Amino acid sequence: MIASVSPARLLVTASALLLAAPAAAQLLQDVPTVVVPPEPPITTQRSVFARDAQVAVADRMLPAFSAEGVTVGAFDVYPGISIGGLYTSNVLANNARRRSDTALVVRPEVTVRTSAGPYQVTAFARGDFRQYVYHSSESTEEGLAGVQGSVAVGTLSRVTAGVSYGSLINPRFSADSPVDAAKPLEYTVLNAFAGGTIEQASTRVIVRADLSTVRFRDAPRVGGGTLFTRDRDRTRLGGLLRLERSISPALSVYGAATANRVDFRLPTLGTISRDSTGYGVYVGTSFEATRLVRGDIRVGYIRQTFNNGAFRPIQGLGALGTVTVFPNPLWTLTARVESTIEDSGVPGTGGVLRRGASLRADHELRRYLIATLEGGYNRDNYRGLTRRDDLPFAGARVTYLSRGHWNAQLGYRYLSRSCNCAPNVANFDDHRLMATLTLQK
């Protein structure tokens, strides 16, 4: 589908990036399907840090194809629903118990936001309902809702805050999904953030604080009994400070620092504490080279220290970079690399060092037909267990946009895990086919 940079999507993405929440959840992993027009800007003043000489194929907002919405007082309302089919070659994400199945997927959603003014408020609600034909235990229901607000405190400065709450599913392919669970694990997540941007002349300061709380529900065990999963419950508090200086209208450099504290509600395996604190320090650059390339790249040092002395700290190179290339108006190429420390719900582990890269290509076949190819590879190294996961992935999709404000999508996705895992974790590879019709107002 064509992914709009809508406030609802930004809020969902921000929630997904809070590492206390298992980002594999279907509602966090799959972007919204309703194509909402961009917000009216709070100010017409152009920031020296703006990088918008080119618009990526996947972010182009064509009025004939995007949702029209309904105006109710001072708010614009954008309802929509997606209905589709999903085929998976490995519904249990376990090569030793490979089973294929087909599911009906229904995804309703609505976005409500202010029409104009010196402030912006956006609320959203989304659902995901999946009913499998043969494996009813794998059928799931998810819901996610949130609100975000932004207030201008200067020509180019603003204060932003938001909160979201979801009842979500940890899919079978998640790293901490146990093979002896009779159904996918369920959990709730509460995310909140507050931050601000202060920009004057050629200097910008960004601050942000995040709070995320995850609570799992115990699950039925294969063969009977109850599987205890509440030792995955955790709260994460994080912060970011970024100080940036513009060198030219197309280049800036910055320094950034992050800090976090992770508190698990219960010890794992009965006695092992996984509480930890961490930080990162980075230098980076944001740039736009003519109209062909833009990017944001930062590198530095990251470290996570555990209260339990049995866990050695995770430390090393920290990196996060995205480079977008525009070879011509019909193509957009996006490369991404990362080296980060994430929380781990895997029993017996304190955290995981993730390193990976991906490449995505979007091509406008016609004004109403978009093709996307993507692929990548991640490697996860766990602290506390001798476990390393190799996680290649690939996908392709074609999206048809109708001038009647609906869209249709046909897609393929490949997921795989190869690891020296404990007996309670399985290797798998899964091929998925998806067909979706989205109706929007």
Side-chain angles (χ1 to χ4, degrees), residues 139-157:
S139 299
T140 59
E141 299 177 356
E142 290 185 291
L144 180 67
V147 62
Q148 172 179 298
S150 180
V151 179
V153 293
T155 305
L156 292 171
S157 303

Side-chain angles (χ1 to χ4, degrees), residues 14 48 56 63 90 112 143 194 214 249 270 291 339 347 404 408 420 432:
V48 71
N90 199 344
V112 181
V214 179
R291 298 175 62 87
S339 177
N420 54 340
R432 297 185 164 209

Side-chain angles (χ1 to χ4, degrees), residues 112-131:
V112 181
R113 71 186 188 199
T114 51
S115 300
Y119 61 89
Q120 295 171 338
V121 178
T122 297
F124 77 94
R126 298 174 60 202
D128 185 295
F129 306 93
R130 305 189 179 201
Q131 183 65 49

Side-chain angles (χ1 to χ4, degrees), residues 178-386:
V179 297
D180 54 348
K183 58 184 292 188
L185 302 187
E186 301 175 0
Y187 69 97
T188 61
V189 58
L190 174 66
N191 290 326
F193 75 92
T197 299
I198 301 173
E199 183 176 338
Q200 296 289 337
S202 58
T203 302
R204 178 170 69 172
V205 179
I206 300 174
V207 294
R208 178 174 168 125
D210 294 279
L211 174 67
S212 183
T213 300
V214 179
R215 294 290 183 264
F216 277 81
R217 303 185 182 98
D218 290 340
R221 185 189 298 270
V222 173
T226 300
L227 186 64
F228 182 77
T229 62
R230 284 176 289 155
D231 58 353
R232 293 164 169 79
D233 294 359
R234 55 197 182 269
T235 298
R236 181 186 180 96
L237 180 64
L240 164 72
L241 172 64
R242 172 167 164 165
L243 177 60
E244 191 167 6
R245 182 75 176 179
S246 175
I247 305 301
S248 73
L251 176 67
S252 65
V253 295
Y254 63 86
T258 62
N260 70 79
R261 178 177 177 82
V262 183
D263 293 307
F264 280 80
R265 187 180 180 188
L266 298 170
T268 183
L269 304 179
T271 59
I272 302 175
S273 170
R274 290 181 287 174
D275 297 348
S276 64
T277 56
Y279 67 89
V281 289
Y282 307 88
V283 293
T285 179
S286 172
F287 60 89
E288 192 167 56
T290 65
R291 298 175 62 87
L292 296 178
V293 181
R294 71 164 176 250
D296 192 305
I297 301 173
R298 71 185 192 192
V299 295
Y301 175 79
I302 52 178
R303 180 183 174 92
Q304 195 76 17
T305 303
F306 302 93
N307 293 359
N308 188 333
F311 293 147
R312 292 184 294 107
I314 302 176
Q315 58 188 334
L317 173 70
L320 186 62
T322 300
V323 176
T324 305
V325 181
F326 306 89
N328 60 57
L330 300 180
W331 281 93
T332 302
L333 306 177
T334 304
R336 180 180 171 87
V337 296
E338 66 172 322
S339 177
T340 58
I341 298 172
E342 301 185 11
D343 303 339
S344 171
V346 176
T349 65
V352 56
L353 175 63
R354 164 163 289 193
R355 288 176 174 164
S358 64
L359 179 64
R360 168 173 163 167
D362 295 289
H363 179 49
E364 188 176 309
L365 298 171
R366 296 287 187 273
R367 189 169 176 80
Y368 51 82
L369 195 63
I370 307 296
T372 298
L373 295 173
E374 59 184 334
Y377 172 84
N378 292 313
R379 171 169 286 182
D380 291 351
N381 285 284
Y382 288 82
R383 181 67 80 236
L385 292 178
T386 305

